[in-house]
Amino acid sequence: MSLDQIPRSAYTADHEAFRQTVRRFLQDEIEPNGAKWAEDGIVPKSVWPKAGALGMLCPTVPEEYGGLGLDFGYNAIVDEESAYNGRVATGFSLQSDIVVNYLVSYGSEEQKRTWLPKLVSGEVVTAIAMTEPGTGSDLQGMRTTAKKDGNHYVLNGSKTYITNGQNADLILVCCKTDTAIEPAWKGVSILLVEATREGFRRGRNLDKIGQDEADTSELFFDDVRVPITNCLGEEGKGFIYLMSELPQERLSIAVSAQASAQRAFDDTVAFTRERKAFGKPILDFQNTRFTLADLKTKLQVGWAHLDWALARHLRKELTPEEGAAAKLWHTELQWEVMDKCLQLHGGAGYMNEYAIARAWRGARVTRIFGGTNEIMKELIGRKL
């Protein structure tokens, strides 16, 4: 099965034509190399310009800055196909769905002209550094500081669990430019920090339980001098910018989770059809059929909801609590599908040589990153 066999309402014929291009790239360039990259703990930077040449990176960037000026539906196509066919955490979605929006929405003209063409082409890999060793979902509690010294900020602090941390050429660093102001969120700013700046260093490429190929890293900033002109937007507005962009980030996570769950389901149907026990295929047992029927129903509902959320977002109507709900629901569904599908694989499901085992490990983080699902419930609950 493939994703274009699922009836969809969010996409046009142009979106679906783009899907075929993305799928071929993933099948030719990404999927065959996944095991090697997982062993290496990193996706080589040489892959990024290849994706950029096909328009797979940051397709929403306006044409005047080297982009295609397309809608988020094209991002979602890349996310879906990457989760279904590539099944390798390349880091593309972080750049396309999250980082680039900050530059487009809040960057100065000079910042846009300097960086956006390079993000689109894949010449530059980016990261966004929010999480700190003692601060996860509580962004107001961050301790990384940037103090003014003439026409520079002096940046000090550390970040952890940073996606693209080893590969990144440019890091959007969330920090406190005012540590005294109350409430604390009014002191948060975002600085553009080039990886070549003195005092910046990369820590460990962290050892995770899943998504082994993703370079998730510690980053350290020791008296890093950053020009005042590298502040993104207005000083002290960083927290507002972060809150404004989170609905798209959470929708992106929901898209990938749904497609990942669909692939696990499809693989499990094929496995149970071939695998025999007590003289007949596992699929012929009522428990197997009932389990898969229940998952198929929930996946069907999931695609309908995802198209609703995508349509809302394309009309710029998706609210923060709707984005949170999408992330919550689709990642919870993903985990249910992964766990039940692994169970239907029996002992094989516990072996890393089977795709379901790697998918199960990789899925565990989706209820944590982008804001934990407990925080999603809190955000939704506040609007009741």
Side-chain angles (χ1 to χ4, degrees), residues 86-121:
R87 294 197 285 186
V88 172
T90 57
F92 295 166
S93 64
L94 179 86
Q95 183 144 315
S96 297
D97 302 355
I98 302 171
V99 171
V100 78
N101 261 35
Y102 289 97
L103 282 163
V104 171
S105 299
Y106 313 112
S108 67
E109 191 63 22
E110 181 183 359
Q111 289 168 352
K112 290 178 184 178
R113 296 204 177 277
T114 298
W115 294 111
L116 289 177
K118 296 175 182 179
L119 268 64
V120 171
S121 69

Side-chain angles (χ1 to χ4, degrees), residues 136-293:
S137 295
D138 178 21
L139 292 175
Q140 298 183 60
M142 68 179 66
R143 296 182 179 179
T144 298
T145 62
K147 297 181 179 179
K148 280 185 177 175
D149 179 27
N151 60 355
H152 283 74
Y153 293 103
V154 179
L155 182 65
N156 281 283
S158 62
K159 300 289 182 176
T160 194
Y161 311 145
I162 305 305
T163 301
N164 292 347
Q166 297 293 315
N167 273 336
D169 304 294
L170 177 71
I171 303 106
L172 275 63
V173 181
C174 304
C175 58
K176 290 281 186 68
T177 47
D178 187 336
T179 57
I181 195 169
E182 291 293 339
W185 62 264
K186 290 187 175 180
V188 175
S189 301
I190 303 174
L191 302 186
L192 306 183
V193 180
E194 303 91 337
T196 53
R197 291 204 171 270
E198 187 176 350
F200 166 71
R201 59 190 173 90
R202 309 176 203 268
R204 295 175 298 156
N205 189 5
L206 298 166
D207 183 17
K208 309 177 298 297
I209 65 171
Q211 298 189 8
D212 301 314
E213 68 282 356
D215 55 312
T216 307
S217 310
E218 301 169 318
L219 303 178
F220 299 98
F221 306 90
D222 301 312
D223 289 332
V224 180
R225 295 184 65 82
V226 182
I228 296 288
T229 52
N230 277 30
C231 184
L232 185 72
E234 295 181 45
E235 185 179 294
K237 292 289 183 68
F239 190 78
I240 295 172
Y241 299 157
L242 292 170
M243 294 303 103
S244 300
E245 298 303 324
L246 281 172
Q248 178 166 296
E249 176 179 351
R250 287 163 180 164
L251 178 59
S252 170
I253 293 169
V255 169
S256 296
Q258 177 73 21
S260 170
Q262 185 69 53
R263 178 59 185 262
F265 174 84
D266 293 344
D267 285 354
T268 303
V269 171
F271 180 85
T272 56
R273 186 177 285 127
E274 296 296 324
R275 180 82 162 85
K276 289 183 170 59
F278 303 102
K280 62 180 180 179
I282 296 172
L283 188 58
D284 288 350
F285 289 96
Q286 187 184 65
N287 176 69
T288 304
R289 293 200 307 273
F290 277 19
T291 298
L292 292 172

Side-chain angles (χ1 to χ4, degrees), residues 309-321:
L310 282 166
R312 293 268 297 165
H313 187 55
L314 292 176
R315 297 194 302 268
K316 303 188 186 306
E317 296 173 359
L318 189 74
T319 66
E321 58 271 22

Side-chain angles (χ1 to χ4, degrees), residues 2-37:
S2 61
L3 290 180
D4 47 14
Q5 293 176 265
I6 298 170
R8 305 295 299 279
S9 61
Y11 299 129
T12 65
D14 288 340
H15 287 119
E16 295 299 344
F18 181 63
R19 184 188 295 280
Q20 303 307 317
T21 299
V22 172
R23 183 177 299 162
R24 284 193 297 272
F25 174 80
L26 292 168
Q27 291 173 340
D28 293 345
E29 298 284 347
I30 303 297
E31 194 165 19
N33 295 302
K36 173 67 165 61
W37 296 342

